[in-house]
Amino acid sequence: MKTITHWIGGKPVEGTSGRFGPVYNPATGAQEKQIAFATVDEVDAAVATARAAFESWGRSSLAKRTAVLFKFRELLDAHRDEIAELITAEHGKVHSDALGEVARGLEIVELACGISEKLKGELSTQVSTRVDVASIRQPLGVVAGITPFNFPAMVPMWMFPIAIATGNTFVLKPSEKDPSASFRLAELLAEAGLPDGVFNIVQGDKVAVDRLLEHPDVAAVSFVGSTPIAKYIQLKAVEHDKRVQALGGAKNHMLVLPDADLDFAADQAINAAYGSAGERCMAVSVVVAVGDTGDELVAKIAERAKNLRIGPGDDPASEMGPLITREHRDKVASYVTSAAEQGAEVVVDGTGYSVEGHENGFFIGVSLLDKVPVTADAYKDEIFGPVLCVVRAETYDDAIKLINSSRWGNGTAIFTRDGGAARRFQLEVQAGMVGVNVPIPVPVGYHSFGGWKDSLFGDLHIYGNDGVAFYTQGKVITTRWPDPADGGINLGFPSNS
């Protein structure tokens, strides 16, 4: 059985702990690989390697850094199908969805390729006689990323390209459930010419996570995952004097007003609720139907839901694949059962679903719950599966009050033809990312991703300008000089190397 190892100092490093975790193919339910869990000493070795590499990488020119990133971007583009296949094999999402994940990660790599624009700094001349003041940004040192299973390539690429471009070195702890994609990214970075030690991977569990949070040479930690773990990451990191950005869970609401195009809204609800089997922090998990739209909208969603093609992610005919583990599949199914017991109407029941020839796979069908009480567990909890709740609201004001009462504030959307209502919604709703007739408003790479309330712990969002600020620290320099002397003659062509 193949063992997935660590990546330290530009090469694979075998684990020594003797502890391993299973890596399954969710479509078959079979364990196909195992992952070596890191010891504290192995985490320390990765951090020490990154620390040593920072001595030169942190002082390297922007030209050198961006040359590596441009080459990495070229290699990533050439190998996107291969990486998508690794994602499908270990996560289960359909190949087209995995390709989309790689493409969104590629956006951040492209942003990092233009890092020189983000690091130009500021200069004020002659603030006093012969006195100038400049503001610059410099790297932190060794930074770490702890990433989830649902986007094993994209979320790491939300972090390390900007961290590396700004002069930091990086230690990644990917999900132990689907680690191969990030390992392949490490190989491509090495092929692109990234110096040894600038990017490292430690595989593992809580042992590795806690050591990264405690290690005195780790300056900052980025995290994406569930809200309880995000809270833990923030408290533990701050306790050890680290900068932290920890993105937590969500319960994203999609508000549908009576004037909306209900066919369009139903299509988008299907896409946003059931894409990637609902294993997205930006998935729509609640539709709020306003006024008399509910019955017609639910009927349209149900009609579409019943016709979705569910199967292995490597089957081109499949529109939705399995969930990541058997345990998670069973937990998602339990929410459908409890919702019925707690007063919801089960319009489409996806529990008990199986795929012929893949009976041992971690498959579940899509579920649609209508008239869900706000006291039901299916409404209150982040399910992270293909379960869509519909709640009813008499008016827009009732709907906005409902949405804003949620403890999460990651993403939300409104569907309407009324520009005034849309403008009011985007100003009044308490969420970090808002869509107007866009159900999953994930920002493009040059804007930042992040929510409010229990969806974000820390002050800065991820990637975009916030990402650059997170991985750098400001410095202000005040100078006074006499008139410049003659610098001599040099007829050579100036170079930025």
Side-chain angles (χ1 to χ4, degrees), residues 7-47:
W7 181 272
I8 302 174
K11 62 182 183 298
V13 174
E14 299 293 332
T16 61
S17 71
R19 296 191 306 119
F20 301 92
V23 178
Y24 293 98
N25 181 335
T28 65
Q31 180 183 346
E32 296 186 349
K33 305 169 189 173
Q34 64 178 6
I35 179 173
F37 285 172
T39 64
V40 168
D41 287 344
E42 286 163 339
V43 175
D44 288 351
V47 174

Side-chain angles (χ1 to χ4, degrees), residues 16 73 83-84 148 155 165 173 193 280 360 395 416 439 473 492:
T16 61
R73 188 249 176 241
I83 295 169
V155 173
K173 207 301 285 184
R280 295 171 174 163
N360 292 324
T395 66
T416 181
Q473 51 194 340

Side-chain angles (χ1 to χ4, degrees), residues 200-484:
N200 307 273
I201 298 175
V202 288
Q203 313 288 1
D205 54 6
K206 191 174 184 295
V207 172
V209 169
D210 282 348
R211 185 54 185 157
L212 287 173
L213 295 174
E214 296 166 357
H215 200 294
D217 286 339
V218 175
V221 176
S222 299
F223 171 83
V224 175
S226 68
T227 288
I229 304 303
K231 287 182 177 180
Y232 175 82
I233 295 290
Q234 184 197 34
L235 292 173
K236 190 88 168 175
V238 171
E239 179 187 349
H240 290 86
D241 302 320
K242 302 187 191 314
R243 186 177 294 188
V244 60
Q245 57 179 186
L247 281 67
K251 196 72 176 180
N252 303 314
H253 293 67
M254 173 176 152
L255 174 59
V256 181
L257 293 182
D259 70 314
D261 181 331
L262 294 189
D263 284 309
F264 179 69
D267 288 342
Q268 298 307 307
I270 289 284
N271 296 339
Y274 304 133
S276 198
E279 292 175 323
R280 295 171 174 163
C281 69
M282 286 296 286
V284 164
S285 50
V286 180
V287 167
V288 184
V290 176
D292 59 1
T293 62
D295 289 346
E296 184 179 0
L297 180 60
V298 168
K300 290 179 181 295
I301 295 173
E303 177 186 5
R304 290 159 170 79
K306 292 173 182 177
N307 293 322
L308 289 177
R309 298 187 298 273
I310 301 171
D314 58 2
D315 183 346
S318 298
E319 295 174 297
M320 190 185 96
L323 296 182
I324 187 70
T325 64
R326 181 177 288 104
E327 293 77 13
H328 184 54
R329 187 267 315 275
D330 294 344
K331 182 179 180 181
V332 170
S334 72
Y335 278 104
V336 179
T337 302
S338 67
E341 297 168 350
Q342 295 168 1
E345 178 184 335
V346 180
V347 180
V348 179
D349 186 348
T351 61
Y353 188 91
S354 65
V355 174
E356 184 176 355
H358 293 77
E359 287 80 6
N360 292 324
F362 310 142
F363 288 96
I364 191 171
V366 302
S367 293
L368 176 62
L369 311 176
D370 191 16
K371 300 173 183 174
V372 180
V374 296
T375 55
D377 292 336
Y379 178 79
K380 293 188 298 181
D381 296 348
E382 183 183 32
I383 299 175
F384 223 62
V387 179
L388 178 61
C389 298
V390 178
V391 297
R392 309 295 184 99
E394 288 296 322
T395 66
Y396 167 87
D397 288 330
D398 294 334
I400 195 74
K401 182 178 179 180
L402 174 73
I403 296 170
N404 286 347
S405 67
S406 172
R407 67 188 182 98
W408 286 293
N410 204 45
T412 187
I414 184 170
F415 278 72
T416 181
R417 293 184 176 97
D418 186 334
R423 184 176 186 277
R424 181 181 170 188
F425 178 78
Q426 66 192 35
L427 295 174
E428 292 178 344
V429 73
Q430 295 173 12
M433 293 168 284
V434 181
V436 177
N437 298 317
V438 176
I440 304 180
V442 176
V444 294
Y446 39 90
H447 290 269
S448 297
F449 178 106
W452 289 10
K453 300 190 282 189
D454 272 5
S455 295
L456 177 73
F457 301 88
D459 297 323
L460 292 170
H461 292 179
I462 203 165
Y463 67 73
N465 289 337
D466 275 17
V468 175
F470 180 76
Y471 290 122
T472 58
Q473 51 194 340
K475 181 181 286 183
V476 180
I477 305 163
T478 303
T479 59
R480 177 186 286 121
W481 292 103
D483 290 339

